[in-house]
Amino acid sequence: MPEIREFNKQPKSYQQLINKLQERGLLVSDINLAENHLRNIGYYRLVGYGLPFEQRNESGFRLGMYKPNTHFDTLINVYITDRKIRILLLSAIERIEVAIRNIINHELASKYNDSHWYLNRDLFNESDHFTHQDLLKEIKRHTLKNAEEGSEKEGKREVFIHHYYSQYDQPEYPPCWMVAEILPLGSWSKVYEHLAISKDRKIISRQLDLPPATLQSWLHSITYLRNICAHHSRLFGRKFVIRPNQAKNTPFVDENQLFNYACIVSRLLKTLSPDSEWVNSLYDELSPLSEDLLAHYGFNSDWLDDPFWLE
């Protein structure tokens, strides 16, 4: 029988945590300010940003010490930059998400001349992670379809959903343009992936100047990126699990870092909004970083010189 491994670390005060960081070689110039940062950010969250600054042996194992001359302020500055980049990405993803769900619904509603095209089960393939019935269940959940009249739950409905259910009995669910407003990006990513008719996938991907397989990959990747940003997770030093398909003339790097995701966000924005200044805003956030720090996002110091970003 394997030995039971029990977690037995005890909580520490902020002063004890600062002492621990100093014992590991981190330079802390202002103890009171450092304590305030730990109170607002949390020790466990902040030290994640310190991982690239730790000493490692030849096999890559952490040695429990920071590299010489690593300052507490450096971790804070990287943390602040990371937060600003997440906010910038969420702003871009909002525009992409709104456009994607509108394109899907407009194109298919127009093609089939049907405000409720999504009710047609024959338009979908099914898989272990998607069934048509599950899609309807999700719509039912997001529209609070079973909410009792006058209940608190009913009061949480969007006004337009409330109007539909109060005025109509058939079809059982709202029209696609209402559903577009309440289903999240991940749901539309699955809807697109499981469209059974290849021409349906093509008329949508054509609006974004991408092959269907690439659009499917990018929707999946952007959903993943959105969830990382929405949950305030670290981008700095992250190796992303999901690697998006590389489109023609898109300058991906070998390590699947933020750079590759910035490429697909920029490409989609340029298609949807050619006058977007998003890339310039990203440059403004990254430009203060040294080349060593940029590398932890997958960027180099002259990344903006590539024609891809300027097209």
Side-chain angles (χ1 to χ4, degrees), residues 131-142:
T131 68
H132 186 251
Q133 190 60 38
D134 285 342
L135 173 62
L136 297 184
K137 286 180 181 178
E138 186 173 12
I139 293 170
K140 181 182 293 187
R141 178 168 62 86
H142 282 281

Side-chain angles (χ1 to χ4, degrees), residues 62-286:
R62 298 163 61 194
L63 299 178
M65 293 292 293
Y66 287 100
K67 297 173 183 177
N69 298 317
T70 300
H71 291 258
F72 184 89
D73 290 347
T74 300
L75 271 61
I76 294 298
N77 290 335
V78 170
Y79 176 84
I80 292 171
T81 297
D82 209 59
R83 178 172 56 82
K84 290 179 178 178
I85 293 173
R86 283 197 303 274
I87 293 170
L88 190 61
L89 285 167
L90 283 172
S91 175
I93 292 169
E94 177 196 359
R95 298 176 70 179
I96 293 168
E97 177 175 358
V98 170
I100 289 293
R101 65 195 193 190
N102 180 66
I103 290 169
I104 291 173
N105 282 288
H106 180 80
E107 294 300 326
L108 297 184
S110 299
K111 176 181 177 180
Y112 294 105
N113 193 29
D114 185 357
S115 61
H116 289 73
W117 65 268
Y118 65 87
L119 293 179
N120 186 350
R121 184 173 181 175
D122 293 337
L123 296 182
F124 299 93
N125 290 320
E126 297 195 347
S127 69
D128 291 341
H129 62 280
F130 179 91
T131 68
H132 186 251
Q133 190 60 38
D134 285 342
L135 173 62
L136 297 184
K137 286 180 181 178
E138 186 173 12
I139 293 170
K140 181 182 293 187
R141 178 168 62 86
H142 282 281
T143 60
L144 303 171
K145 187 176 188 306
N146 294 330
E148 295 183 6
E149 186 176 353
S151 66
E152 180 181 352
K153 190 174 182 181
E154 185 196 33
K156 293 180 180 178
R157 278 182 183 155
E158 292 284 359
V159 172
F160 54 88
I161 297 294
H162 176 80
H163 175 78
Y164 182 83
Y165 284 142
S166 67
Q167 297 295 315
Y168 305 100
D169 298 313
Q170 293 295 330
E172 185 179 2
Y173 298 94
C176 64
W177 49 82
M178 292 186 186
V179 174
E181 293 297 317
I182 52 93
L183 280 191
L185 178 61
S187 300
W188 293 114
S189 175
K190 288 183 180 179
V191 164
Y192 182 76
E193 178 184 356
H194 289 86
L195 290 175
I197 300 171
S198 61
K199 288 185 178 179
D200 289 352
R201 291 162 53 82
K202 288 179 181 177
I203 63 173
I204 293 165
S205 67
R206 193 180 302 127
Q207 302 299 313
L208 295 155
D209 194 26
L210 292 170
T214 300
L215 177 57
Q216 177 181 319
S217 169
W218 285 16
L219 290 179
H220 187 39
S221 299
I222 286 184
T223 300
Y224 169 56
L225 177 63
R226 179 196 177 281
N227 291 339
I228 289 173
C229 294
H231 290 92
H232 323 300
S233 297
R234 176 170 49 87
L235 300 170
F236 181 74
R238 178 183 287 271
K239 303 297 191 295
F240 290 84
V241 174
I242 299 172
R243 186 179 182 90
N245 289 2
Q246 184 169 4
K248 184 179 179 181
N249 298 326
T250 305
F252 280 11
V253 293
D254 292 337
E255 291 282 358
N256 193 32
Q257 295 171 281
L258 179 66
F259 181 87
N260 292 346
Y261 278 71
C263 285
I264 68 175
V265 168
S266 175
R267 170 74 180 271
L268 288 169
L269 279 180
K270 281 188 286 188
T271 302
L272 295 169
S273 181
D275 295 331
S276 170
E277 295 291 326
W278 185 82
V279 170
N280 292 333
S281 298
L282 179 64
Y283 177 79
D284 290 343
E285 300 301 343
L286 292 174

